[in-house]
Amino acid sequence: MKRTPRQQRYNNKKRIIQCIRECSPISRAEIAGKLQLSKPTVSMAVDELIQEEWIYEKGIGESSSQGGRRPIQLFFNEKAAYIIGADIGGTKVKIVLCDLSGNILAEIGFLTSTYLQTGLLKQMAHETERLIAKNQIVRDRILGMGVGIPGITQTASGLVIEAPSLGWVQYPFIGEAKRFFDFPIHIDNDVNAAALGEQWLGNARNKRNVLFIAVGTGIGSGIILNNQLYRGASSAAGEIGYMVTDKEDMKREFKPVFRRYGYLESVAGGKAIGDHYTEAVRNNPHHSLFGQAQSSQLSGADAFSSAAKGDATAIEVIHQALEHLACGVVNAASLLNPEVIILGGGVLHSAAYILPRIQEIIDRYLPSSVEIKPARLGENAGVLGAVSLFLREHDSVLNLRDEGDHI
């Protein structure tokens, strides 16, 4: 569809500001050459962006070796506006105040269970106001908020279809949020958000095809194809935890670890590893943790810690879980053909132990090689992903969702 002159000018501004964000310091002439736009077009857009304070000029240009003046350099103004990022977990809610480059200026967190029944959104609004006031941010400089939620969400409508760990079913998140927030809010599944965060600032930077896999109690994935987040027909794409990786188990009655959880997370998730390790230790009276396992459940972290010390029981349990997880990764990667696979979630604490084994299985079975890396953003992947989500979804000059606008 042909753009109107007004739409074309707006599109040019979007492309130019993204160019400056990625390449600053940069001159007008360099922008024109890089984007194949005329110098008058670039100059007009740059003047508008300076006036709107999205970018700024610095210096008058240094003398070149030939004695002439170097062109004035343009810089992106990362303090032109601010964004709130929130990651709602089953255990904890984390909220950050970020500038436009993803620098976290302040953060705050609280236990989800404390406010889930009495007003989670109200508490989020209270904590957000504290962040804004404490950092003396002018209210109209807040562009809005991005939120990651542990469940199936509809980004367009703001509806949480189901979030088992929060007890939400058909929950109108955006509708309820409007009672407490006076700025725009965009939501998505927390793993989708983390995938966006890793593509923006982490180990998937500059990659257009990304598979992000989060392994915790459950297992989920975020999929970016051709630079677009893939959500699926009913916003449920990426539910890799439902993969079946052992056909023999299909002959038996399947009992998930938690209600509504899938097969893969019931054999390779953190809770499953802890349960299997506990059972194995209880069946071995000579094991050093036999007494502890008799009185309480051992965790996945206990299993990895013991494996690192050479515990044969823990090593066997973990290797079985990793074989299931690797099979799921191979199946997903063979369909999606990602440039990189990012592994995140609670399993990150044992990444050095896990990644080589999974990489070995991937290399054995995949027709083309793909590198698997740990999430670089760690515990901030969710909140920074939520900020990235907002930047993608919000209708502003910073929005670069359209494929034709990508630089």
Side-chain angles (χ1 to χ4, degrees), residues 215-220 239-273 276 320-321 323-328 331:
V215 182
T217 299
I219 301 175
E239 293 291 338
I240 190 175
Y242 287 90
M243 278 191 178
V244 178
T245 51
D246 187 344
K247 69 176 184 178
E248 293 302 316
D249 272 355
M250 296 177 71
K251 301 174 183 177
R252 297 186 286 269
E253 183 182 358
F254 169 56
K255 295 180 180 179
V257 176
F258 296 114
R259 178 180 174 272
R260 307 283 297 182
Y261 276 61
Y263 177 84
L264 182 58
E265 47 206 356
S266 290
V267 294
K271 176 71 165 59
I273 291 173
H276 294 156
Q320 287 184 11
E323 285 181 4
H324 282 286
L325 179 60
C327 284
N331 291 340

Side-chain angles (χ1 to χ4, degrees), residues 358-378:
I358 295 181
Q359 186 73 62
E360 175 190 335
I361 295 175
I362 288 174
D363 292 342
R364 188 191 315 163
Y365 289 104
L366 268 187
S368 57
S369 62
V370 60
E371 187 175 8
I372 184 166
K373 297 180 178 180
R376 181 181 177 185
L377 302 182

Side-chain angles (χ1 to χ4, degrees), residues 95-116:
I95 303 173
V96 299
L97 173 65
C98 274
D99 65 19
L100 296 176
S101 291
N103 298 307
I104 296 177
L105 308 180
E107 64 180 71
I108 200 163
F110 59 87
L111 294 178
T112 307
S113 58
T114 305
Y115 300 96
L116 188 57

